[in-house]
Amino acid sequence: MNGDTGTSTQAPQLRALLFTDLCDSLVLVERIGDGAAAELFQQHDRLVLALQQQWNGQLIDRSDGLFLLFERAIDGLGFALDYQRELQQLGRRCNVTLRARAGLHVGEVLIWDNSPEAIQAGSKSVEVEGLAKPMAARLMGLARPGQILLSSVAESLTRRASSELGERAAQLQWRSHGPWLFKGIPAAQEVFEVGEPGFAPLRMPKAHPKAQRKLPIWRRPVALAAELSLLAVLAIGGWMLLRPEPAIAFAERDWVVLADVDNASGEPLFDDGLQRALLLGLEQSRYVNVLSASKVKESRELLRVPAEHALDRELAGDVASREGARMVLAPSIRRARGQYVVAVDLMDPVTRAVVRTYHADAPSPGDVVAAVDDVVGRLRAGLGETVASVQQSVPLPQASTDNLQALKSFALAESAMGQRRFTEAAKLYEAALDADPDFAMAHMGLARLLVRVDQRAEALPHLQRALALNDRLPHRERLYLKAWSSGLRPDGWPLEDWRVLAEVYPDSFAGQANTAQYLLLDNRFAEAERYARAASVPQAPLRASTLGYLGWSQLGTNRYDEALRSFQLSEQLSGRVASDTRVDVLIAQRRYKEAQALMAQLPKARDELEAIMYQRVRVLLAADQDDCTGMADALASEDFPTESVDFRTHVLLMQGVVDTACERSNPAALTAVSDQLLPLLKDTANPNLSDRVLRMLSLAYLAQRQGDLARADALLREQGPLIAAQKSPVIDKWHTVVLAMQQLGRNQPAKAEALLRPILDGTEPVQARVVLRDAQRRLDNVEGFQNQNEWLFDHRGQAFTEPAAMQLMQPLSVRDTLADASLRPQ
């Protein structure tokens, strides 16, 4: 791009693009006159603005039509449906017929801001370019008046999320209008229509010079006569000479089981490397889902098959039958005629018959990965995936590596990672990178491992290397990497990046799970539950962890029995007899004896984080029983963290939480936190910075509650620019709470209330309501005080759940919901 055109250029971003066109607008002006038309268009613009705000759209361009961008495809469809409905009603009020055509597509675009000089000269404020833009425009141009046309990717995303449109989702009608050829778009595109009866034509679009239906050759007029003359010959000769391949009754997103490689080549290098190559190739598909290794392991255990028994095609068939998978993929490699032959048999798990076989030759070991790529591509097409979808995949040697030793080390590293053997996994990732320094997925895997063991700074070089090799990653992994990199930014808040991965690849359990996690951090429990459920299906490899997210969303909405079941199932799947999260629920239900008994069964903490969680739940049990001595004893019940400076800071802050809950001032403890925390805030490039800022706000709030207003004011003054630079809504809300508490300290309760009211949207921290209750008390507002007391009583589950800052404020929030509970109306 020309540097004079815009102020910033960004990497491609995935967006939903909506084009609309107001039909016959010129005729309309001629009919009703300039004055009436001007008034009509003003009403139209107000309508567009309201819908744009409602559906979170970004208006890029406007004339007779509209061009809007949306973060999510379902928002684009919601806008289009409401626009068609409101347009019709506007026309009735003005006694004219108003209809618009619309086209919706999802794809990557480049977005940049125009310079002030260009804008002053008449340019738009924002420019958008990319192949997705003409595709969306062609769809709109093809549509009939009142018709909404969608590309296949937009249809897939919106149809799955249509329940978010409310009751009218059941009224929507979906139509496929088959493949179309668009001018300027190289491949045929499947076109869909969606609409409401009475508003949408629900008819085949009309072809025009820029858009033609792609018809089978037998339906083309020019070829029809020749085809008829050959029909008799083809009917007889074709049947004699050709045999059709058996039909595969395979539906989109069906599951398959990948058996172990039958390695008859005599080279052990192919055992793990070839398996991983096949898996990486299949994971690029949005159509085929491979049953995870952990789910296969669980099924083997239920079948009582020894772990050392290979997952041959017979055992794979048993696993597929048990798990409801549609096919078994049985790979093999052998030597023949001086070459390596890579083959995959598609086996019906019920009859055990081989339905189809795909194979490719490789002259040397270095060509085996390319052969796998060939086989996987034809296999995906044979299962029903569109050729265009397969062709969009990154070639396997580029997406992974053509070095089989690197691929084998990577496969073993992923296996060790799944079994929490982190030291071994790190060495194996490093071995993969020694074999191929440009193996992007190995860099990403090692970065992920280092983050897991709280070595984020060490993870950054590998993350940056993976980003530099972004073009060597499949699209799914690129979205994954983008979300990870966003989360490791010092000001990061990657919720929408994870949500894009979850929406574009609904079977990406990482996308679903991390979306749920960040929604939980923001106290959006009901919204998080949908993603947590999607990440907790039986096929999910980390189901034990994601069931914990589901349990949190249930606990946060006071559904204690459901949360208890989710946490118990999580324990069963992970082979644990007890968990601190189940103790949380028992305490919330005031089943203290059972909670105490369960705590006695907690296994030895595996790491410092788990030790902190055990300490937290012991403090919580005492807090809910108004036992300050017990809270103090619980603080000394676990070993002090020694490796992580952030964990050490957290433990020091817990002392401040206990002191505050017990209504005592302890300046020495707050000073100890300051001495530990403030130097860390100077490292503004550290990926833990957002967590540290949240801990700093917690320190300020605890100081305010203990009467140390000067310390809190100094923190807010000195760290103000750092707080403002953060993108996390959790930090923003906590900053508001601390500012409101500052106003209370200045005896300005009305100002404190005014600060808090805008954040009371159901996602506010419990402490926001505690501060508001205090403001109402100081304002002598009895009804307002009672309302806040009622809210705190009714949101007991949220007080137990709020995961921000590792549930730091949980004991204090639980105590605060108990305070004044006797004032709840009977």
Side-chain angles (χ1 to χ4, degrees), residues 458-472:
E458 292 83 351
L460 281 178
H462 294 286
L463 180 66
Q464 290 163 354
R465 184 60 180 149
L467 286 168
L469 297 167
N470 191 50
D471 60 343
R472 293 197 59 178

Side-chain angles (χ1 to χ4, degrees), residues 77 80-82 84-85 146-150 158 165 168-175 177 192-203:
L77 178 57
L81 290 168
D82 281 351
Q84 298 285 29
R85 181 185 290 271
Q147 193 169 44
I148 302 172
L149 296 183
L150 300 85
T158 54
L165 299 175
R168 68 176 171 182
Q171 306 298 322
L172 292 180
Q173 294 191 15
W174 305 78
R175 296 280 189 277
H177 294 311
F192 295 85
E193 178 183 359
V194 61
E196 301 172 271
F199 293 92
L202 298 170
R203 296 167 55 197

Side-chain angles (χ1 to χ4, degrees), residues 12 153-154 180 217 356 406 495 701 767:
V153 63
W180 286 72
I217 192 168
R356 197 168 297 170
L495 170 59
Y701 182 71
Q767 289 301 318

